[in-house]
């Protein structure tokens, strides 16, 4: 899959101007370098990723909204689970290198946590729907300690600076509002509930995970546990 396919289609259909399309193409190597950096720093493969040619806006009230620059999305394919990282075009177009890499790393942590839960069938205990046969994946869940996953000190610094308690980059947000939202470029509006995906138990049970990845996740859990204990003392 071409990660820029949807961007090209949006341009072809007149939803993105030549200028915006060219800017996204020009800056996409920053995303590629970020993925390569994350793979090198973690020793694991980055999941399938693509660029969404829209800004994703989440509404928490009629007067308050937030911008989601990337999302880790579980996709049900047949009776199996696949995980895709959705990277928004405004992030690619206007994000600084450190910001893009930090967001990609943060989504990678979501991916690892989701895979960990699927491998242990933990998702069944996270349900909020009251349905015993469905698990819930939410973007607000607990994540692996980045220090247990990455050995790139600069990348770790980017993550801790950008995600003290939720992502904040006011300059980037201002740019996106000015150059994307106010210009009425493509937008996807979601509610916070939309960012929760229900995963049927049969899908979780049928999903096969690479044993090497499962082993690596076990190592990360032990490492994260040691880091937590060290923090306590």
């Amino acid at each position: 899959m071409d990660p820029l396919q949807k961007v090209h289609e949006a341009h072809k259909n007149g939803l993105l101007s030549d200028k915006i399309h060219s800017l996204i193409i020009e800056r996409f190597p920053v995303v590629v370098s970020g993925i390569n950096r994350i793979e090198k720093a973690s020793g694991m493969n980055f999941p399938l990723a693509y660029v969404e040619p829209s800004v994703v806006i989440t509404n928490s009230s009629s007067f308050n909204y937030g911008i989601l620059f990337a999302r880790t999305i579980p996709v049900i394919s047949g009776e199996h689970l696949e995980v895709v990282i959705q990277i928004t075009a405004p992030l690619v177009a206007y994000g600084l290198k450190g910001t893009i890499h930090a967001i990609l790393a943060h989504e990678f942590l979501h991916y690892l946590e989701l895979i960990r839960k699927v491998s242990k069938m933990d998702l069944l205990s996270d349900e909020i729907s009251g349905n015993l046969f469905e698990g819930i994946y939410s973007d607000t869940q607990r994540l692996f300690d980045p220090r247990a996953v990455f050995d790139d000190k600069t990348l770790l610094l980017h993550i801790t600076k950008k995600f003290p308690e939720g992502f904040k980059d006011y300059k980037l947000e201002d740019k996106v509002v000015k150059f994307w939202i106010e210009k009425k470029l493509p937008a996807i509006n979601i509610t916070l509930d939309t960012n929760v995906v229900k995963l049927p138990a049969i899908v979780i049970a049928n999903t096969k995970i690479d044993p090497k990845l499962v082993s690596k996740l076990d190592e990360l859990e032990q490492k994260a546990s040691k880091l937590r204990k060290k923090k306590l003392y």
Side-chain angles (χ1 to χ4, degrees), residues 80-152:
H80 297 82
L81 178 70
E82 293 182 8
V83 183
V84 178
I85 306 294
Q86 180 192 75
I87 306 161
T88 65
L91 173 64
V92 180
Y94 306 117
L96 296 175
K97 177 182 175 180
T99 299
I100 292 174
H101 288 193
I103 289 175
L104 290 174
H106 183 77
E107 293 306 320
F108 186 68
L109 295 177
H110 276 299
Y111 159 72
L112 293 180
E113 179 63 13
L114 175 57
I115 295 300
R116 185 195 70 79
K117 287 192 169 189
V118 170
S119 70
K120 295 181 180 295
M121 297 292 284
D122 281 358
L123 280 167
L124 293 177
S125 63
D126 279 357
E127 63 199 357
I128 58 174
S129 66
N131 186 334
L132 292 175
F133 299 101
E134 290 180 325
I136 298 294
Y137 167 68
S138 170
D139 199 48
T140 57
Q141 65 189 318
R142 177 179 68 83
L143 298 178
F144 275 109
D145 186 325
R147 296 172 300 166
V149 179
F150 305 116
D151 63 7
D152 182 325

Side-chain angles (χ1 to χ4, degrees), residues 23-176:
L23 180 60
I24 295 167
I25 304 304
E26 179 186 321
R27 302 208 71 240
F28 185 67
V30 178
V31 174
V32 175
S33 69
I35 290 173
N36 291 338
R37 182 181 190 179
I38 288 162
E39 290 186 334
K40 183 179 179 182
S42 67
M44 292 174 281
N45 292 329
F46 200 84
L48 185 68
Y50 77 97
V51 179
E52 168 60 48
S54 309
V55 63
V56 177
I57 301 169
T58 176
N59 296 293
S60 54
S61 73
S62 56
F63 301 104
N64 192 20
Y65 69 87
I67 299 170
L68 296 180
F69 290 103
R71 292 192 293 166
T72 300
I73 304 176
V75 177
I76 298 172
S77 176
E79 289 192 343
H80 297 82
L81 178 70
E82 293 182 8
V83 183
V84 178
I85 306 294
Q86 180 192 75
I87 306 161
T88 65
L91 173 64
V92 180
Y94 306 117
L96 296 175
K97 177 182 175 180
T99 299
I100 292 174
H101 288 193
I103 289 175
L104 290 174
H106 183 77
E107 293 306 320
F108 186 68
L109 295 177
H110 276 299
Y111 159 72
L112 293 180
E113 179 63 13
L114 175 57
I115 295 300
R116 185 195 70 79
K117 287 192 169 189
V118 170
S119 70
K120 295 181 180 295
M121 297 292 284
D122 281 358
L123 280 167
L124 293 177
S125 63
D126 279 357
E127 63 199 357
I128 58 174
S129 66
N131 186 334
L132 292 175
F133 299 101
E134 290 180 325
I136 298 294
Y137 167 68
S138 170
D139 199 48
T140 57
Q141 65 189 318
R142 177 179 68 83
L143 298 178
F144 275 109
D145 186 325
R147 296 172 300 166
V149 179
F150 305 116
D151 63 7
D152 182 325
K153 290 183 179 179
T154 306
L155 181 61
L156 286 170
L157 185 62
H158 286 316
I159 296 169
T160 51
K161 281 177 68 178
K162 296 296 180 184
F163 292 92
E165 287 182 12
F167 175 77
K168 281 297 171 193
D169 187 324
Y170 295 111
K171 287 184 178 179
L172 174 58
E173 290 174 2
D174 287 345
K175 276 187 176 181
V176 173

Side-chain angles (χ1 to χ4, degrees), residues 192-203:
L192 292 177
D193 290 343
T194 313
N195 213 33
V196 177
V197 178
K198 296 178 182 179
L199 303 175
I202 186 68
V203 171

